[in-house]
Amino acid sequence: MSTTVKLDGFASNLERRQRFVSMFATGSIEKGDAVCFDLNATEPTNGYGNHVMESDIDAVITSNVIGIATEDASAGEKVRVQVAGYCDFAR
Protein backbone atom coordinates (compact mmCIF):
# COMPACT_ATOMS: atom_id res chain seq x y z
CA MET A 1 0.00 0.00 0.00
CA SER A 2 1.29 3.41 -0.90
CA THR A 3 1.70 6.03 1.83
CA THR A 4 1.86 9.76 1.15
CA VAL A 5 4.47 11.56 3.24
CA LYS A 6 6.02 14.99 3.18
CA LEU A 7 9.77 15.11 2.53
CA ASP A 8 11.51 18.50 2.60
CA GLY A 9 8.25 20.24 1.79
CA PHE A 10 7.28 17.95 -1.09
CA ALA A 11 4.52 15.34 -0.96
CA SER A 12 5.78 11.92 -1.99
CA ASN A 13 4.27 8.46 -2.32
CA LEU A 14 6.44 5.77 -0.76
CA GLU A 15 5.55 2.34 -2.09
CA ARG A 16 5.89 -0.11 0.79
CA ARG A 17 5.32 -3.32 -1.19
CA GLN A 18 8.76 -4.63 -1.99
CA ARG A 19 9.75 -6.92 -4.85
CA PHE A 20 12.92 -8.98 -5.12
CA VAL A 21 14.68 -11.01 -7.82
CA SER A 22 17.76 -13.24 -7.65
CA MET A 23 20.49 -12.94 -10.26
CA PHE A 24 24.14 -13.89 -10.66
CA ALA A 25 26.84 -11.39 -9.68
CA THR A 26 29.38 -10.63 -12.41
CA GLY A 27 31.85 -9.18 -9.91
CA SER A 28 32.00 -8.30 -6.24
CA ILE A 29 28.82 -6.59 -5.00
CA GLU A 30 28.14 -5.18 -1.53
CA LYS A 31 24.83 -4.80 0.27
CA GLY A 32 23.29 -1.45 -0.67
CA ASP A 33 25.06 -1.16 -4.05
CA ALA A 34 23.02 0.00 -7.01
CA VAL A 35 23.21 -2.74 -9.66
CA CYS A 36 22.53 -2.96 -13.39
CA PHE A 37 22.35 -5.73 -15.98
CA ASP A 38 25.75 -6.91 -17.25
CA LEU A 39 25.59 -5.98 -20.95
CA ASN A 40 29.31 -6.00 -21.70
CA ALA A 41 30.58 -7.31 -25.04
CA THR A 42 31.14 -10.87 -23.79
CA GLU A 43 27.95 -12.77 -23.00
CA PRO A 44 27.84 -13.79 -19.30
CA THR A 45 27.91 -17.49 -18.33
CA ASN A 46 24.16 -17.68 -17.70
CA GLY A 47 23.12 -15.35 -20.52
CA TYR A 48 22.18 -11.69 -20.77
CA GLY A 49 19.57 -10.55 -18.27
CA ASN A 50 20.66 -13.08 -15.63
CA HIS A 51 23.79 -11.27 -14.44
CA VAL A 52 24.09 -7.99 -12.55
CA MET A 53 27.08 -5.82 -11.73
CA GLU A 54 27.71 -2.72 -9.65
CA SER A 55 26.35 0.30 -11.47
CA ASP A 56 28.61 3.17 -12.53
CA ILE A 57 26.73 6.31 -13.56
CA ASP A 58 29.80 7.62 -15.42
CA ALA A 59 29.75 4.74 -17.93
CA VAL A 60 26.86 4.57 -20.40
CA ILE A 61 26.53 0.77 -20.39
CA THR A 62 26.37 0.49 -16.57
CA SER A 63 24.38 3.62 -15.70
CA ASN A 64 20.90 2.05 -15.89
CA VAL A 65 20.17 0.91 -12.33
CA ILE A 66 17.62 -1.89 -11.98
CA GLY A 67 17.73 -2.27 -8.20
CA ILE A 68 19.66 -2.42 -4.95
CA ALA A 69 21.64 -5.46 -3.75
CA THR A 70 20.25 -6.76 -0.45
CA GLU A 71 23.38 -8.75 0.43
CA ASP A 72 27.08 -9.10 -0.34
CA ALA A 73 28.05 -11.40 -3.23
CA SER A 74 31.19 -12.49 -5.05
CA ALA A 75 31.51 -13.15 -8.78
CA GLY A 76 29.36 -16.11 -9.84
CA GLU A 77 27.24 -16.16 -6.69
CA LYS A 78 23.52 -15.43 -6.66
CA VAL A 79 22.57 -12.07 -5.24
CA ARG A 80 19.13 -10.91 -4.16
CA VAL A 81 18.14 -7.55 -5.68
CA GLN A 82 15.31 -5.27 -4.52
CA VAL A 83 13.63 -3.95 -7.66
CA ALA A 84 10.58 -2.20 -6.19
CA GLY A 85 9.41 -0.59 -2.97
CA TYR A 86 10.97 1.55 -0.29
CA CYS A 87 14.63 0.72 0.42
CA ASP A 88 16.28 2.19 3.52
CA PHE A 89 19.77 0.71 3.06
CA ALA A 90 20.74 1.94 -0.42
CA ARG A 91 24.12 3.64 -0.61
Side-chain angles (χ1 to χ4, degrees):
M1 188 117 193
S2 188
T3 305
T4 301
V5 295
K6 201 169 192 181
L7 298 171
D8 296 329
F10 296 97
S12 175
N13 288 325
L14 297 178
E15 179 62 57
R16 294 290 179 180
R17 290 176 291 186
Q18 298 171 329
R19 183 163 181 226
F20 302 90
V21 296
S22 290
M23 297 183 176
F24 294 96
T26 295
S28 183
I29 295 175
E30 294 181 18
K31 179 180 179 176
D33 282 349
V35 296
C36 64
F37 286 122
D38 180 1
L39 300 175
N40 288 310
T42 306
E43 184 174 353
T45 307
N46 297 297
Y48 289 115
N50 293 318
H51 282 257
V52 290
M53 59 191 292
E54 186 177 358
S55 185
D56 177 5
I57 60 169
D58 294 328
V60 174
I61 199 161
T62 61
S63 63
N64 296 311
V65 175
I66 63 157
I68 305 296
T70 65
E71 58 199 3
D72 294 343
S74 298
E77 293 180 341
K78 278 201 161 185
V79 61
R80 190 169 180 231
V81 179
Q82 182 174 342
V83 295
Y86 181 74
C87 180
D88 61 357
F89 56 85
R91 299 189 298 134

